[in-house]
Amino acid sequence: RYKGFTKEEGTLYDELVKELAEQGIKPEEAVMVGDKPSTDIDPAHKRGFKTIKYTGFVDLGASKADLEIETFAELKTILRKKP
């Protein structure tokens, strides 16, 4: 389904924005969790996604992430919080 789309160029996130829109979901209502700023965080953030940088394995440098976590267990608390 996503053949030809890339995280590096951001085309995967463009496609996800379209699919979310078809379901009535705005990008800012979705979350991207990743460890690589250049492919996971920054392109998704640029398209309006909330972004969470995972640093538990290795911290790959500065990013535009909205939040940072060291363990995936932290997601439970974050996602339960009301906007």
Side-chain angles (χ1 to χ4, degrees), residues 42-62:
D42 297 343
H45 191 270
K46 180 178 177 182
R47 285 154 179 87
F49 288 85
K50 295 292 183 188
T51 52
I52 301 175
K53 182 180 169 193
Y54 172 68
T55 61
F57 181 68
V58 64
D59 188 345
L60 297 173

Side-chain angles (χ1 to χ4, degrees), residues 17-35:
V17 168
K18 291 177 193 174
E19 289 185 22
L20 289 170
E22 291 171 4
Q23 298 175 44
I25 301 169
K26 298 175 186 174
E28 59 269 18
E29 297 173 313
V31 177
M32 173 59 192
V33 179
D35 61 344

